[in-house]
């Protein structure tokens, strides 16, 4: 009887483990968290004078900026009223300007660290 109970328990446990490993998360990662992660990585690279780390963080943050602008474009296309479209367009314009400014500073990531950090802070406020 104990052996049968043990076998049933092991069979049930293996099904639970298999199910837990195959399910995927249903929530999308928040862009603000991803952006802050990229900015933190960039700032760590600057503090350590590590060009590779700073570049990786900068690239990560820029990818989030592009994603944010793309999502705003989709929201604008789906907006029902002109007032909502105007509000979203203003956000797109402001975020695009910060993106353009950051791309101009990208040539000297280490030397432009203060300006880049200020632009990252400005973008954070626009999210």
């Amino acid at each position: 009887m104990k052996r049968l109970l043990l076998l049933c328990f092991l069979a049930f446990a293996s099904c639970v483990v298999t199910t837990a490993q195959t399910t995927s998360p249903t929530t999308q990662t928040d862009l603000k968290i991803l952006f802050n992660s990229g900015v933190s990585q960039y700032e760590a690279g600057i503090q350590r004078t590590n060009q590779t780390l700073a570049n990786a963080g900068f690239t990560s943050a820029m990818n989030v900026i592009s994603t944010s602008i793309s999502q705003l474009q989709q929201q604008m296309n789906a907006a029902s009223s002109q007032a909502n479209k105007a509000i979203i367009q203003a956000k797109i314009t402001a975020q695009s300007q910060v993106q353009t400014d950051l791309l101009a500073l990208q040539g000297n990531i280490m030397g432009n660290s203060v300006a880049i950090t200020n632009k990252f802070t400005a973008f954070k406020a626009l999210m």
Side-chain angles (χ1 to χ4, degrees):
M1 180 69 178
K2 289 182 182 179
R3 289 183 184 167
L4 182 61
L5 187 58
L6 180 63
L7 288 174
C8 289
F9 176 74
L10 289 175
F12 176 73
S14 66
C15 291
V16 170
V17 170
T18 303
T19 305
Q21 291 176 352
T22 58
T23 59
S24 62
T26 57
T27 58
Q28 184 182 15
T29 304
D30 189 16
L31 284 181
K32 288 183 181 181
I33 294 171
L34 291 174
F35 183 73
N36 287 334
S37 175
V39 171
S40 294
Q41 185 178 14
Y42 169 76
E43 290 172 348
I46 294 300
Q47 289 174 351
R48 297 177 186 152
T49 61
N50 183 333
Q51 179 85 27
T52 304
L53 185 61
N55 282 334
F58 184 87
T59 301
S60 177
M62 291 301 288
N63 288 339
V64 173
I65 290 171
S66 295
T67 301
S68 177
I69 293 170
S70 175
Q71 286 181 354
L72 285 172
Q73 288 283 358
Q74 292 172 359
Q75 288 176 10
M76 189 175 76
N77 293 338
S80 57
S81 72
Q82 289 296 74
N84 287 342
K85 286 185 179 187
I87 291 168
I88 295 170
Q89 181 59 49
K91 274 187 164 181
I92 291 171
T93 302
Q95 287 187 3
S96 295
Q97 183 60 52
V98 172
Q99 182 184 36
T100 301
D101 294 344
L102 284 166
L103 288 173
L105 297 169
Q106 184 178 10
N108 186 3
I109 289 211
M110 301 302 275
N112 294 330
S113 64
V114 173
I116 290 172
T117 301
N118 289 340
K119 290 297 178 181
F120 282 157
T121 303
F123 184 81
K124 221 182 285 189
L126 296 170
M127 290 183 85

